[in-house]
Amino acid sequence: MNVIIGRYVPSNSVIHRMDPRAKLLAMFIYAASVFFANNGVTYAMLTAFLFILLLLLRVPFSFILKGLRPVLWIVLFTFLLHAFLTKEGATLYQIGELAIYEGGLQKGVFISLRFLLLIAMTTWLTISTTPVEVTDAVESIFGPLKRFRVPVHELALMMSISLRFIPTLMEETEKMIKAQAARGVDFYGGPFGERIKAMTALLIPLFIHAFKRAEELAIAMEARGYRGGEGRTKYRLLTWGSIDTWLLASTVGVTILLLLFRA
Amino acid sequence: MDIVFEQVDYIYHANSPFAQRALYEVDLAIEHGTFVAIVGHTGSGKSTLLQHLNGLLVPTNGKVRIGEYTLTNRQKQKQLKPLRRKVGVVFQFPEHQLFEETVEKDICFGPLNFGVSEDVAKQKAKEALALVGLPEQLLSRSPFDLSGGQMRRVAIAGILAMEPDVLVLDEPTAGLDPYGRKEIMELFARLHRERQLTTVLVTHHMEDAAKYADYVVVMQKGTVWKTGTPEAIFHDIDELQQIGLNVPETVLLKRKLEEKIGREIPSPCLTNEQLIDGIKALFFGGRL
Ligand SMILES: Nc1ncnc2c1ncn2[C@@H]1O[C@H](COP(=O)(O)OP(=O)(O)OP(=O)(O)O)[C@@H](O)[C@H]1O
Ligand SMILES: [Mg+2]
């Protein structure tokens, strides 16, 4: 598994120790402001800010880059699509029917950069924050909505359970691939019909297991007296420190600067 | 097929922060036709070692030779199918891999993947089901309607139907009732003899290791700690207990008896029968 998007990497960096609410809010604000950037200065500001945040993670930079490699193809594709299909500004290059315009090139760079920034920011959050922390933060941030009968706790629980079982599912998938490969399934090639067959041999047992596990989990929770969020106390308490205020303030600061400098 | 491990290291998720070393410089030789038991504390690398036997994992460093195949870290997954036909692996909890609508189809799945014709596969399925001690009527049932023990047997039948030369078993009796465990182990012992298989068994039951294996390999923290005949391995009780392993009940019983009566019981006493013989020899001079 070399995909690191959505994966927590343990460390003891400043970012790891921050309040997940601060990180979540910072991510939302950042993500929103990415859509307001529209010229070189603003994009440079966003990139620099993110770069600092990523450095503070204290996770090897090469590792982050390697993990992003799978999405680079999508980014590249986005770039080419915009570069060739936007017809604005002066012609830079002409190959037969195809022409690259200055506007196209710029748009291609900006859009793919936007994409990259969004993914990198999400990765920044998930590398430094466990899924449980994210859910706690979501529940806390949206807590006030409980007054309007939004089942915030239940939604957060659903989210944390799904997140909790992603690694388990991945592990089981890996095991199942091995078990079926031992029975001669070829997961790395072969004609279309056989590929379908290989997929069934993989997915059916996985689904059956997931359903069984969900049922067992429900029974186990009920057996231990779980009945929703009413009056429930927390084991992990979220504490907001000055560093969290700093993170949020600097994110807001960058956003304000961005709004000032955008074209 | 002879199996040789030469200085094998295996690292899960190599070159990432999740890197985890599971095997260190493993050297191991398994001669064709032997029954080898691998024992070791949980997490000692037994399953990791097994998965090298049919190329599900390839060594990070070092070499694994299986008959004419040599596996190194440059191995391509595509070329491994012929090896996988010859080395049948029964995983821990193999019943999880069942997926077809009927028991028959599920058992046929392996043989069909390896290019056996449909009729032959069906014939093999019938034979394999009989081997694992299930009635023929089950062939048309859904594997998901069976009991846990029956599902386990069907899964094992699915591997046996491939008619491998090397049978690799990862705790095949975990979670079975004592009677079922004995039945299944007897089946493997019989197949080993009749089909001249090479059998590699991972087990937490020292009794099974003592009773069925020609050689015992003791794993400890990713290395081979010791290999030898069951007699040699289970001789030093304290040493084994130090690395968190047990010895067969009869060996303990023998030691207790010896302490009580203050005399030594000759013979190794790895199984009940051997212990009974030993006691007979001691008290009645072999006259009974
Ligand atoms: N898929 C995996 N990813 C990362 N680490 C793994 C993986 N599988 C096993 N390990 C690690 O490798 C080591 C050896 O594991 P292995 O499964 O080979 O042990 P084992 O001897 O079979 O244990 P058990 O008796 O519990 O089955 C353990 O430390 C384990 O945490
Ligand atoms: Mg194991």
Side-chain angles (χ1 to χ4, degrees):
Chain A
M1 286 304 134
N2 282 322
V3 182
I4 67 153
I5 301 165
R7 245 186 129 167
Y8 177 71
V9 181
S11 157
N12 198 24
S13 74
V14 196
I15 307 278
H16 279 73
R17 281 179 277 128
M18 278 182 187
D19 190 315
R21 286 172 296 188
K23 289 189 267 186
L24 199 65
L25 286 174
M27 191 198 79
F28 279 135
I29 296 171
Y30 185 88
S33 61
V34 164
F35 288 96
F36 287 101
N38 62 357
N39 57 11
V41 188
T42 45
Y43 271 109
M45 269 167 26
L46 285 173
T47 314
F49 183 61
L50 185 66
F51 191 73
I52 296 170
L53 287 183
L54 287 176
L55 277 184
L56 287 175
L57 276 181
R58 305 194 140 271
V59 169
F61 215 74
S62 61
F63 174 70
I64 299 176
L65 285 181
K66 218 165 86 187
L68 289 177
R69 209 157 46 190
V71 287
L72 283 186
W73 288 110
I74 308 178
V75 174
L76 192 69
F77 181 71
T78 323
F79 171 73
L80 291 178
L81 207 67
H82 281 280
F84 281 113
L85 296 185
T86 316
K87 297 185 172 25
E88 277 168 29
T91 317
L92 287 178
Y93 217 80
Q94 181 101 32
I95 326 156
E97 288 284 287
L98 283 174
I100 297 179
Y101 298 88
E102 202 180 88
L105 198 65
Q106 196 193 33
K107 204 163 176 188
V109 169
F110 283 173
I111 301 271
S112 44
L113 189 62
R114 177 183 289 178
F115 202 72
L116 210 58
L117 289 178
L118 286 175
I119 290 169
M121 187 62 185
T122 328
T123 309
W124 169 81
L125 179 76
T126 52
I127 280 186
S128 65
T129 321
T130 61
V132 178
E133 283 178 323
V134 176
T135 344
D136 279 354
V138 168
E139 188 176 348
S140 170
I141 291 172
F142 292 102
L145 290 182
K146 279 180 192 161
R147 222 173 291 157
F148 307 105
R149 304 197 161 228
V150 178
V152 176
H153 174 79
E154 283 70 16
L155 290 174
L157 181 77
M158 273 166 63
M159 190 170 137
S160 75
I161 289 179
S162 345
L163 288 172
R164 156 66 185 76
F165 280 103
I166 289 175
T168 314
L169 270 177
M170 300 223 304
E171 220 170 87
E172 284 204 341
T173 312
E174 205 178 320
K175 265 193 204 157
M176 197 56 67
I177 287 179
K178 284 177 180 170
Q180 304 298 27
R183 296 212 275 169
V185 178
D186 195 354
F187 286 101
Y188 293 90
F192 187 69
E194 262 174 49
R195 289 252 183 145
I196 298 276
K197 187 83 187 167
M199 276 297 136
T200 0
L202 178 64
L203 291 180
I204 291 186
L206 282 179
F207 269 110
I208 287 176
H209 256 87
F211 283 128
K212 250 190 210 158
R213 179 146 355 80
E215 210 174 293
E216 279 164 12
L217 182 68
I219 291 172
M221 283 171 71
E222 274 181 3
R224 286 194 262 171
Y226 177 82
R227 42 188 176 76
E230 201 83 10
R232 201 173 153 81
T233 54
K234 292 251 176 212
Y235 173 58
R236 284 169 306 269
L237 291 177
L238 303 177
T239 48
W240 188 279
S242 56
I243 183 86
D244 302 307
T245 315
W246 271 108
L247 173 69
L248 214 54
S250 53
T251 318
V252 173
V254 168
T255 311
I256 293 172
L257 278 179
L258 180 141
L259 291 178
L260 290 178
F261 280 99
R262 76 192 285 263
Chain B
M1 297 205 283
D2 292 338
I3 299 166
V4 181
F5 281 66
E6 281 172 23
Q7 293 284 304
V8 171
D9 291 337
Y10 187 79
I11 303 173
Y12 282 102
H13 313 295
N15 307 323
S16 84
F18 305 100
Q20 176 140 21
R21 214 169 166 144
L23 293 180
Y24 294 86
E25 299 175 2
V26 169
D27 279 313
L28 185 66
I30 298 172
E31 227 172 278
H32 176 84
T34 45
F35 195 127
V36 176
I38 301 181
V39 300
H41 202 56
T42 172
S44 57
K46 304 180 297 291
S47 301
T48 309
L49 184 87
L50 286 196
Q51 288 170 41
H52 283 77
L53 293 175
N54 67 348
L56 288 173
L57 298 179
V58 291
T60 310
N61 296 307
K63 264 196 251 188
V64 179
R65 278 191 282 125
I66 304 148
E68 73 254 43
Y69 301 90
T70 304
L71 304 182
T72 64
N73 58 14
R74 284 187 299 276
Q75 186 65 45
K76 292 260 168 11
Q77 283 288 323
K78 280 184 187 170
Q79 304 151 358
L80 290 169
K81 214 162 160 178
L83 174 64
R84 292 196 179 138
R85 204 205 70 73
K86 291 191 174 159
V87 182
V89 181
V90 177
F91 275 89
Q92 241 164 331
F93 300 105
E95 58 272 25
H96 293 175
Q97 73 204 26
L98 301 176
F99 74 100
E100 285 279 18
E101 296 135 62
T102 66
V103 167
E104 183 177 38
K105 278 192 184 173
D106 210 289
I107 301 179
C108 288
F109 183 63
L112 288 177
N113 280 329
F114 290 116
V116 169
S117 76
E118 191 127 3
D119 293 335
V120 178
K122 279 188 177 165
Q123 185 56 37
K124 285 186 175 174
K126 217 184 265 177
E127 287 166 18
L129 198 71
L131 271 178
V132 296
L134 292 178
E136 208 177 308
Q137 294 92 283
L138 288 191
L139 279 178
S140 55
R141 291 265 295 273
S142 157
F144 300 108
D145 295 342
L146 305 179
S147 78
Q150 287 172 325
M151 282 166 84
R152 175 77 56 91
R153 285 163 196 252
V154 169
I156 292 173
I159 304 294
L160 296 182
M162 287 159 36
E163 300 186 337
D165 298 338
V166 180
L167 194 54
V168 177
L169 309 160
D170 198 349
E171 297 183 42
T173 59
L176 287 187
D177 62 302
Y179 182 71
R181 186 182 119 206
K182 183 154 187 278
E183 242 185 13
I184 295 275
M185 282 312 303
E186 290 293 339
L187 162 70
F188 290 137
R190 205 179 83 222
L191 284 174
H192 177 77
R193 276 195 312 273
E194 287 174 2
R195 295 189 181 174
Q196 274 113 44
L197 300 177
T198 307
T199 307
V200 182
L201 165 77
V202 166
T203 181
H204 283 293
H205 290 287
M206 299 304 149
E207 289 77 22
D208 289 347
K211 188 167 174 192
Y212 299 104
D214 303 317
Y215 284 99
V216 179
V217 175
V218 185
M219 301 274 304
Q220 155 81 336
K221 294 191 178 147
T223 55
V224 173
W225 182 72
K226 210 171 179 185
T227 58
T229 59
E231 286 82 11
I233 294 290
F234 294 124
H235 183 72
D236 204 331
I237 303 176
D238 299 324
E239 204 182 31
L240 275 176
Q241 282 179 343
Q242 258 172 28
I243 64 162
L245 287 182
N246 245 316
V247 295
E249 288 289 334
T250 46
V251 177
L252 287 177
L253 181 61
K254 177 192 170 199
R255 180 152 93 166
K256 284 234 169 85
L257 268 175
E258 284 173 339
E259 277 167 10
K260 252 227 152 77
I261 59 177
R263 289 163 67 185
E264 212 170 292
I265 302 172
S267 96
C269 302
L270 290 177
T271 61
N272 290 340
E273 291 75 23
Q274 286 175 336
L275 182 62
I276 292 168
D277 287 344
I279 295 173
K280 274 188 199 161
L282 189 64
F283 285 102
F284 310 106
R287 272 179 286 114
L288 262 182

